[in-house]
Amino acid sequence: MNRTLGRSGIEVSALGMGCWAIGGPYAGGANQYGWGRVDDAESIRAVHRALELGVTFFDTASSYGAGHSEVVLGRALGADRDRVVIATKWGFTFDERTREALGTDSGVAYLRSCLEGSLRRLGTDHVDLYQLHLGDLPVAEALDLIGPLEDLVAAGKIRAYGWSTDDPERAAAFAAAGPHCTAVQHDMSVLADRPAMIELCERAGLASINRGPLAMGLLSGKYADGRTVARDDVRSQSYDWMTYFRDGAGAPEWLARVEALREVFATGGRTPTQGALAWLWARSATTVPIPGFRTVTQVEQNAGALAHGPLRPDEFAAVEDLLADLRVATVA
Ligand SMILES: NC(=O)c1ccc[n+]([C@@H]2O[C@H](COP(=O)([O-])OP(=O)(O)OC[C@H]3O[C@@H](n4cnc5c(N)ncnc54)[C@H](OP(=O)(O)O)[C@@H]3O)[C@@H](O)[C@H]2O)c1
């Protein structure tokens, strides 16, 4: 099952792999930004398994693991690099050596130097989709980057670009100004529908790349047993955007909704994560979910969703009945 990455015409598997967690821990002062410890050998096996199962799209960022995610992905892809589409991001600054998150830089010089760093770590001469990672950057500042991005397309260093932002107005302005702007990456899951962003993507010919498609793991259902994540896992932090986890455990009001969804998804023979991915595919032909992973087993389960395809209309309707008024935007 494939999808087109917006108006670029670049073809990708309908499922991408999100490579944030495989970057391992990184922090800025007391703030943790990684997903705790990971085993690089297992991450590499997981990428290989994804390739075997037909996944051809990988999303990472220069800042994940302060560069380590790109290193691991590049190492895992090796000679298979040209079989896949790589998306990465720039905007956050970091110290690769100490694994520290430092700050942000929206300037043109950093856009260029950060790309060179990504190419080196990934072991490639081009990035397929280069994404602005600073979701709240003022539109005027983002528009100043369009010219330099188009120059990088002309130079063959990137094939297309996009903005990772949850704001449809920002995404619309960027897409209108940028001939090779082809995607917006934004938060979206069965628990958090984003109608305005989907409407924009369908109208403007943009791919809707869905981050957080498993609600940071909550949609797997495994947090129903009260387990908590490690202290160096981003989900243990109390950032104001940490919707689904509280003090490192699944938030009870959201766990109840996940439990209710389990039955609907099981009627189609899907596991909870497969159902969550299938809902996204049914929601719009523009969506490309990029679930994060840390093990071969997770990749196998998530890639297993491809064989089932999108939810059928009656299954989709059952989910809508269940979640009416209970999604992120409508919950205080
Ligand atoms: N642009 C941005 O600012 C931004 C922000 C966030 C994410 N992203 C991108 O979006 C990707 C995905 O989002 P996300 O990582 O936040 O969250 P997610 O995809 O909603 O959840 C991923 C986590 O769920 C758990 N999981 C995955 N498959 C599972 C399975 N089959 N069974 C049980 N548990 C499973 C794993 O964590 P555990 O095993 O530890 O529970 C995994 O790390 C990221 O990797 C990144 O590429 C981008």
Side-chain angles (χ1 to χ4, degrees), residues 18 59 164 185 212 214 216 222-223 235 290 292 294 298 302:
D59 177 79
S164 176
Q185 180 170 142
L214 305 179
M216 299 189 93
K222 71 185 177 194
Y223 290 96
R235 292 168 292 182
I290 48 167
R294 52 165 96 241
Q298 290 180 349
N302 299 342

Side-chain angles (χ1 to χ4, degrees), residues 17-21 35 59-61 64 89 92 131-133 164-165 185-186 189 210-223 229 233 235 241 245 271 273-274 290-295 297-302:
M17 290 290 142
C19 298
W20 182 8
W35 289 61
D59 177 79
T60 181
Y64 294 163
K89 315 183 190 81
F92 289 100
Q131 302 163 107
L132 173 58
H133 208 164
S164 176
T165 179
Q185 180 170 142
H186 62 100
S189 74
N210 309 137
R211 66 179 177 87
L214 305 179
M216 299 189 93
L218 194 90
L219 277 160
S220 70
K222 71 185 177 194
Y223 290 96
V229 300
D233 188 310
R235 292 168 292 182
W241 47 267
F245 287 81
T271 67
T273 62
Q274 290 171 349
I290 48 167
F293 63 96
R294 52 165 96 241
T295 64
T297 307
Q298 290 180 349
V299 164
E300 287 175 343
Q301 194 176 110
N302 299 342

Side-chain angles (χ1 to χ4, degrees), residues 4-8 163 165-169 171-172 175 181-188 194-210 283-288:
T4 305
L5 216 49
R7 58 198 185 189
S8 68
W163 193 348
T165 179
D166 290 337
D167 176 6
E169 288 184 16
C181 173
T182 199
V184 54
Q185 180 170 142
H186 62 100
D187 179 66
M188 177 149 164
R194 305 293 186 201
M197 196 66 98
I198 291 298
E199 194 273 326
L200 167 69
C201 289
E202 292 177 347
R203 177 166 45 81
L206 300 175
S208 155
I209 299 178
N210 309 137
R283 177 67 179 79
S284 167
T286 64
T287 59
V288 182

Side-chain angles (χ1 to χ4, degrees), residues 12-227:
V12 293
S13 51
L15 184 73
M17 290 290 142
C19 298
W20 182 8
I22 67 168
Y26 66 114
N31 292 330
Q32 296 292 339
Y33 295 116
W35 289 61
R37 294 200 165 279
V38 284
D39 172 1
D40 289 350
E42 178 70 5
S43 303
I44 288 172
R45 282 192 293 272
V47 169
H48 290 166
R49 191 72 184 117
L51 292 172
E52 282 167 11
L53 295 171
V55 173
T56 61
F57 184 47
F58 294 85
D59 177 79
T60 181
S62 51
S63 57
Y64 294 163
H68 193 64
S69 170
E70 290 182 330
V71 169
V72 171
L73 179 62
R75 206 180 286 160
L77 291 174
D80 288 321
R81 190 268 171 264
D82 288 334
R83 285 176 50 201
V84 306
V85 171
I86 299 178
T88 192
K89 315 183 190 81
W90 89 95
F92 289 100
T93 54
F94 53 90
D95 185 324
E96 217 171 318
R97 199 177 44 82
T98 59
R99 300 261 186 116
E100 269 176 296
L102 299 176
T104 63
D105 188 336
S106 57
V108 175
Y110 187 60
L111 152 68
R112 296 201 185 100
S113 65
C114 196
L115 177 61
E116 292 304 323
S118 290
L119 295 176
R120 169 176 52 80
R121 287 185 293 271
L122 287 162
T124 183
D125 62 357
H126 71 281
V127 160
D128 299 283
L129 179 69
Y130 202 37
Q131 302 163 107
L132 173 58
H133 208 164
L134 308 175
D136 295 332
L137 195 68
V139 171
E141 283 185 51
L143 294 184
D144 285 344
L145 301 171
I146 295 275
L149 285 164
E150 288 292 328
D151 290 345
L152 289 170
V153 173
K157 294 211 165 191
I158 64 174
R159 291 171 74 193
Y161 55 87
W163 193 348
S164 176
T165 179
D166 290 337
D167 176 6
E169 288 184 16
R170 281 181 168 81
F174 206 56
H180 289 88
C181 173
T182 199
V184 54
Q185 180 170 142
H186 62 100
D187 179 66
M188 177 149 164
S189 74
V190 64
L191 298 176
D193 194 4
R194 305 293 186 201
M197 196 66 98
I198 291 298
E199 194 273 326
L200 167 69
C201 289
E202 292 177 347
R203 177 166 45 81
L206 300 175
S208 155
I209 299 178
N210 309 137
R211 66 179 177 87
L214 305 179
M216 299 189 93
L218 194 90
L219 277 160
S220 70
K222 71 185 177 194
Y223 290 96
D225 64 6
R227 73 179 73 180

